[in-house]
Amino acid sequence: GDSVTQMEGPVTLSEEAFLTINCTYTATGYPSLFWYVQYPGEGLQLLLKATKADDKGSNKGFEATYRKETTSFHLEKGSVQVSDSAVYFCALSDNAGNMLTFGGGTRLMVKP
Amino acid sequence: EADIYQTPRYLVIGTGKKITLECSQTMGHDKMYWYQQDPGMELHLIHYSYGVNSTEKGDLSSESTVSRIRTEHFPLTLESARPSHTSQYLCASSDGAVRGYTFGSGTRLTVV
């Protein structure tokens, strides 16, 4: 079945550092790929998505590129802020378009 | 402006009480989902629905039940709450997983 593997956290960075959160997936067909962010006490919010190979999703300074050859969708940001502290989830859609499969989440802590 | 609403946000109740967690969306989405999120962050699918009068159990066995009598409403009920039900419950909806889910803000349930 489909699966998503994320790097384990917590990831602790200083403000303005470069961020990478690794995400790899196993799926049949051509899934859409997503990154969600969850701030403390809130639900998940869609951060960015990509629907086909080599697409780059971007939002709020975050980027991720759909790499079919490496089955990866790593999240990057050039300069993190304290306000980026949150939990980040990678996800993929099934071929039928009915269900998302989520990774286990990666907690990011940014220190001033 | 939230398009999917969960109430209550926080609930503390005694063991053995019956509770209903409410979830409503105004987007006309056919597909709705309930997740249980443990303190380790991982999301566990407990129920889903692809339309009115259609409900299915998810990957994680749960003593809760759901109903889908109207498109916009997907309540979750616990007939007899126990401390093991203490968790965060997240509701989501979608008009197609390739476009992602929209999540509510969650209900944090504590059973004492």
Side-chain angles (χ1 to χ4, degrees):
Chain A
D2 295 348
S3 66
V4 177
T5 303
Q6 292 181 233
M7 63 188 290
E8 291 208 12
V11 173
T12 304
L13 296 172
S14 297
E15 206 164 23
E16 299 184 1
F18 184 87
L19 168 71
T20 300
I21 299 178
N22 291 337
C23 171
T24 57
Y25 67 90
T26 302
T28 56
Y30 302 93
S32 293
L33 301 174
F34 305 85
W35 277 102
Y36 282 83
V37 58
Q38 184 178 31
Y39 297 104
E42 297 294 326
L44 278 69
Q45 302 174 24
L46 179 64
L47 181 60
L48 54 85
K49 68 179 183 182
T51 57
K52 62 183 187 297
D54 299 325
D55 267 3
K56 177 185 285 187
S58 61
N59 186 24
K60 300 181 181 178
F62 291 90
E63 293 183 340
T65 300
Y66 190 146
R67 301 286 189 201
K68 190 161 178 64
E69 64 276 13
T70 55
T71 61
S72 65
F73 193 54
H74 305 320
L75 182 68
E76 296 181 336
K77 187 175 185 184
S79 175
V80 294
Q81 305 300 312
V82 172
S83 57
D84 294 327
S85 298
V87 179
Y88 293 82
F89 290 90
C90 185
L92 64 81
S93 65
D94 67 357
N95 284 331
N98 291 325
M99 194 72 71
L100 291 185
T101 298
F102 288 91
T106 303
R107 185 179 302 278
L108 170 66
M109 296 188 293
V110 181
K111 297 184 176 180
Chain B
E1 180 182 340
D3 295 315
I4 180 165
Y5 305 91
Q6 288 188 246
T7 57
R9 286 295 306 275
Y10 303 94
L11 179 62
V12 181
I13 60 166
T15 297
K17 299 292 187 183
K18 177 180 178 178
I19 59 167
T20 296
L21 308 184
E22 300 289 348
C23 177
S24 294
Q25 50 96 4
T26 59
M27 297 170 283
H29 288 171
D30 286 330
K31 301 175 178 60
M32 297 189 73
Y33 312 84
W34 275 105
Y35 286 86
Q36 186 172 336
Q37 185 174 31
D38 58 27
M41 305 176 303
E42 190 165 355
L43 298 168
H44 301 286
L45 180 67
I46 52 175
H47 297 283
Y48 60 97
S49 167
Y50 291 159
V52 171
N53 295 325
S54 158
T55 61
E56 301 286 345
K57 290 186 180 295
D59 304 323
L60 180 68
S61 176
S62 173
E63 293 163 348
S64 59
T65 59
V66 291
S67 62
R68 189 88 183 277
I69 298 172
R70 303 197 314 267
T71 297
E72 63 270 22
H73 196 214
F74 191 41
L76 181 146
T77 298
L78 279 166
E79 290 292 334
S80 179
R82 295 209 298 266
S84 60
H85 296 138
T86 294
S87 190
Q88 163 120 302
Y89 292 85
L90 294 169
C91 181
S93 72
S94 172
D95 63 353
V98 292
R99 286 180 284 281
Y101 294 172
T102 302
F103 281 86
S105 296
T107 294
R108 183 163 295 282
L109 173 66
T110 302
V111 183
V112 298

